[in-house]
Structure formats: C-alpha cells, structure tokens
Amino acid sequence: MKTENSKQLFEEAKKAIPGGVNSPVRAFGSVKKDYPIFIERAKGSKIYDEDGNEYIDCIGSWGPMILGHNYPEVLECIKKEVEKGTSFGLPTKKEVELAELVKDCFPSIEKLRLTTSGTEAAMAAVRVARAYTGKNKILKFEGCYHGHSDSLMVKAGSGLLTFEHQDSNGITDGVMKDTITLPFGDIKKVRELFEKEKDIACIILEPIPANMGLIETEKEYLEELRKVTEKENVLLIFDEVISGFRVALGGAQQLYGITPDLTVLGKIIGGGYPVGGFGGREDIMNLISPLGNVYHAGTLSGNPVSVAAGIKTISILKDNPNMYTKLNEKVAQFVKKLEELIKKYNISATVNSAGSLFTIFFSDKKVKNLDDAINTSDEMYNIYFDTMTENGIMVPPSKYEAHFISIIHTEEEMQKILEITEKAFQKMRK
C-alpha cells in the first residue's frame, strides 16, 4: 500500500504545526511510524487517505460516528443549516431543542449548558462542583482522560500514555496538589482517602474508561462511589463524552442504573461536529452565570451547525432503539469470534468490550486498570496495527485507545476485520 502523499504532507506539516499534528495520537509515534496517514474524505464505514487508499474505519473519530460518516439524513440537515449561517454569537431555537432532547435521554440532567468541546465541558463541571460544595480538591482516577485543562491532566490517559507520560508539563504545583488520583476500580482506597481528606469537591470519572484502552466497569464499583459521595457531600461527575449515546441512549448511567450529580458530554451530541455540554441537577446548574456567579462563556457554544447535526443524530437514535440492539449484538458476536481466534493461535491477548466499543490488549491477564494497560505488549500491538492498516483496516494508532464500530459496518466488513486480525496473529506466531 503506497502512502507517499501522506509522507510528503507530514514533512510539510512539521514546518507549520508542532509535531506535524494537531492532536498527539495522530502522529502514529506510538506504533513506531515515521509519518501518519492523512485522511482526505469519509463515507459510511470507510475512510480514504490522500493516496486514494480505502480503509474500513474502526476509529469513528473516537466515538461520535455511531451512524457512520456522512449519514444521509444528517448530511442533508447540515447542508441546509450552513446556508442559514454558521455562527451568530446569539441564542437560537435549536439550542433549546437540543437541550430538551438531551434531557429527555438523560433524566439526571435537569439543565444543560452547551460548550464547544468535551474538554471545556469537563473543566466547567469541575468549576461548578467546587462552587457548589465550597471545597477545593478533586478526585480523579489514573488513566481516565477528561480533556486537557490543567486540573484534569494529572495522571490522565489517552495521548499522554501514548507518549509515555502521565502528567503534562506546564501545570503548577498548586493545581497538582488540588488533584488527587487513585487507581480505577479500587473502592477501598477511595474510602481510605475520605477518612482523612475532607476538602474534596467532586469525584470525576469515565464510568466506562476508554482512554487507557477500554476498561470494563463493575456496577458495584459505581454504586459504592455513589454512596461515598452522598455520605461525604461530594458531587459525582460522570464524564460520558465517549459512553454517552454510545453504549446506550442514556449512556453508562442508564446501563448501570446510577444517577450522577453532573454529566459531561461531547462528540456525539453534535453528530461528529465540534460540541460539548455539561448538565445535572437544577440547583447545581443554577450557579452558572448569568443566574449565578460561576462564569462560563463561549462565542461558539451551541454553534448552530453542530447543534443541528446533534438534534438529527440523537433523534435518529431515539426513534430507532433497535439500532442499539443490533449494533451491540454485532459487536458482541465479533468479540466472541475474536476471542476464539486468540485461543486458536494461543496468542497472549484479551478483549475488553462495552456496547459497540472494544479493545484488544496483548497481555496474558485481564486488563482492569492503568498499570495492567501499561504492561501490555507494544511489539504485538505494532504487528497488529501494521497488518491491519496494510490490509485496509484503520485501527487506533495506540494501544491505549478503543475501537469503535458503527451501525453502517456490514457483516462482510466485520468478517474482513477478523480475517486480517487472523493474519496479524499468524505473524505473531512466527
């Protein structure tokens, strides 16, 4: 497979963009590549690079493309909306429609504030939690990624792990001291922390972590976190930027039956266009300006194009609940066959999955937290990545990311993914 155009573009990009990319994982450095693949267009379950190569897409823009790329109804909606204008800096009717639609799907959200990204939404949610509780510190979990605001970059996952970092330079000591981190899944350590620390405003977590690879969450763990936060007057924040509208219409909180105080959303509520949002109980959200004195603003918050795409996408999902059933069954069957291949070739690998997400970890044991994920094989993942991309399957360019499947992926395409994975396993055996 020739990718000369991508190679040339990367050389040009490095002269104008730090590292040649606008988000670190795109550099393909984790999979030992000299340059990344530059994408020119997408349609349905496929993406096409600048050299004209076709790939079955297993990234889906990291989650929002549950309907596939350029779903006809969404695309038609966007074309009409663009003609009306792309940014007003004033309120629109569609902002209200999207907020009501999200509220209907997430009963825990009584009021919603739109943002331009998930990072911004998570940052604002933590700020309002501090204001509501009058406390300063936050508790997050190792490997859970909540965007790149200062207080949430401590021991974060995703791109940081890809480049063998757990923190980002440029964060002050004061911010670091106000962010407490614990291993994901260990409720005993959470209880021990609260016995000695009384200045914690909130616990923020991905209820289904997907930025250290996908981690399967135990319902009992989330239930215990809910009990601890209620007892200690601490807000529980679910970052559902990835799991929201992905694992179920009402996200992980619907799946597990847990009600957080605040929810962070992004990606999919704009149908893949730039958007984010945070919401929760009315008494908490009423602290936000102009009602309260917790400031949050943004010229592009509730951008009309993104909002229109989100309304159409969520409406399609809401009106067709069988989409989730079929999609989740498709991925469950795929994972079962993938596990059979692992057993057939006696490969040191395990698969974690949730709904239409999965991660293949090259490890002898089940991956349950950040330390487990770090100790998986880089060499085997690189063989897997090389084999998949060389044969027209685009998988995450990092072992710390999840695969995302859409409703558009056909049975034939899922079978091809399995066939190429088998080729990768055969190479590992040599």
Side-chain angles (χ1 to χ4, degrees), residues 23-43:
S23 191
V25 75
R26 299 178 193 173
F28 283 34
S30 176
V31 286
K32 305 298 187 269
K33 291 300 177 185
D34 294 330
Y35 57 92
I37 301 300
F38 279 69
I39 303 304
E40 188 266 331
R41 61 188 177 91
K43 178 67 176 177

Side-chain angles (χ1 to χ4, degrees), residues 6-7 9-29 33-36 38 163:
S6 284
K7 182 177 182 180
L9 280 167
F10 189 54
E11 291 304 313
E12 295 173 7
K14 287 189 291 185
K15 298 174 185 177
I17 302 170
V21 293
N22 286 306
S23 191
V25 75
R26 299 178 193 173
F28 283 34
K33 291 300 177 185
D34 294 330
Y35 57 92
F38 279 69
F163 293 93

Side-chain angles (χ1 to χ4, degrees), residues 65-127:
M65 301 306 179
I66 191 170
L67 301 178
H69 296 279
N70 283 337
Y71 194 78
E73 290 180 50
V74 177
L75 183 59
E76 187 61 31
C77 170
I78 291 306
K79 288 179 178 178
K80 293 179 180 178
E81 199 63 33
V82 167
E83 292 178 351
K84 297 178 182 179
T86 57
S87 179
F88 309 129
L90 292 168
T92 66
K93 178 182 177 180
K94 282 187 168 58
E95 292 174 56
V96 184
E97 293 177 7
L98 179 58
E100 291 294 344
L101 194 55
V102 170
K103 284 174 54 183
D104 197 39
C105 297
F106 281 75
S108 71
I109 297 178
E110 296 175 350
K111 285 191 175 181
L112 176 76
R113 172 60 68 88
L114 294 176
T115 66
T116 55
S117 70
T119 289
E120 181 192 345
M123 175 184 70
V126 168
R127 181 181 297 161

Side-chain angles (χ1 to χ4, degrees), residues 190-198 200 228 232 234:
V190 174
R191 292 198 186 99
E192 290 173 351
L193 171 67
F194 278 97
E195 287 177 3
K196 59 183 180 181
E197 180 57 71
K198 301 301 179 183
I200 298 175
V228 168
E232 300 292 339
V234 171

